[in-house]
Amino acid sequence: MAEATRHRRITVALTLTALTLTAAAGCGAVDKALDCVRTADAIATSVDNLQQAVSNASNDPTQASEALDEIDKELGNLGDKTDNADLSKAVDDLQTGVKNVRDAIDKGDATPDITPVTDAAKEIGNVCTS
C-alpha cells in the first residue's frame, strides 16, 4: 500500500514538473518533459517491482528473475525512446543497477543491495526536474 502511494506521488510530482516545463519553454523542453513523464512512471513501477521481487526472493526466486526480465525489457524500450542525453544516461545507470542485482541473485544472494537502482531512479527524478 505504501509503495503504491509513493509511486503515485513520484508520478504526480514529475508530471507536474513536466507540465511546468512544457508551459515555460520551447520544443526541447517539451520533448524532455514528455520523456521524463513516460520514464518516471515506468521507473517508479520498475523500482517498486524490484523491491517487491527482492523481498520475496527467498519465497519465490523465479519471481525476482521474472521481475528483472520485465524491468530490463521496459528500460531498454525507454532508453531507445529518449533523445535526452542526461535521461539516457540515468536509464543506462538503472539498467546497470538491475544487471548487478540479477548477478547477485544468480550467485545466491537472497537480499542483494538495490541501492544503485534506487539511486539511479532518483537521478532520473533530478534530470526531470532540472
Side-chain angles (χ1 to χ4, degrees), residues 52-81:
Q52 184 176 21
V54 168
S55 70
N56 293 330
S58 61
N59 297 334
D60 184 2
T62 61
Q63 182 184 12
S65 181
E66 290 168 6
L68 289 168
D69 289 344
E70 185 59 33
I71 293 167
D72 278 337
K73 177 183 171 187
E74 186 176 287
L75 290 176
N77 291 337
L78 289 171
D80 293 341
K81 289 180 184 175

Side-chain angles (χ1 to χ4, degrees):
M1 182 69 102
E3 291 176 11
T5 301
R6 184 179 72 239
H7 174 184
R8 276 187 239 122
R9 273 190 249 149
I10 291 169
T11 301
V12 169
L14 290 173
T15 300
L16 290 174
T17 300
L19 291 173
T20 300
L21 287 171
T22 300
C27 291
V30 171
D31 289 342
K32 180 180 177 184
L34 292 174
D35 287 342
C36 284
V37 169
R38 282 186 225 118
T39 303
D41 185 49
I43 295 309
T45 300
S46 295
V47 171
D48 288 344
N49 290 344
L50 179 59
Q51 288 173 330
Q52 184 176 21
V54 168
S55 70
N56 293 330
S58 61
N59 297 334
D60 184 2
T62 61
Q63 182 184 12
S65 181
E66 290 168 6
L68 289 168
D69 289 344
E70 185 59 33
I71 293 167
D72 278 337
K73 177 183 171 187
E74 186 176 287
L75 290 176
N77 291 337
L78 289 171
D80 293 341
K81 289 180 184 175
T82 185
D83 61 351
N84 177 280
D86 293 334
L87 189 55
S88 291
K89 181 184 179 327
V91 168
D92 289 345
D93 290 347
L94 189 52
Q95 286 174 318
T96 299
V98 168
K99 179 188 178 306
N100 291 341
V101 169
R102 180 185 303 283
D103 290 346
I105 289 173
D106 288 347
K107 292 177 183 174
D109 186 351
T111 56
D113 179 17
I114 63 168
T115 303
V117 172
T118 57
D119 288 348
K122 287 177 191 172
E123 181 59 24
I124 288 172
N126 292 338
V127 169
C128 290
T129 57
S130 63

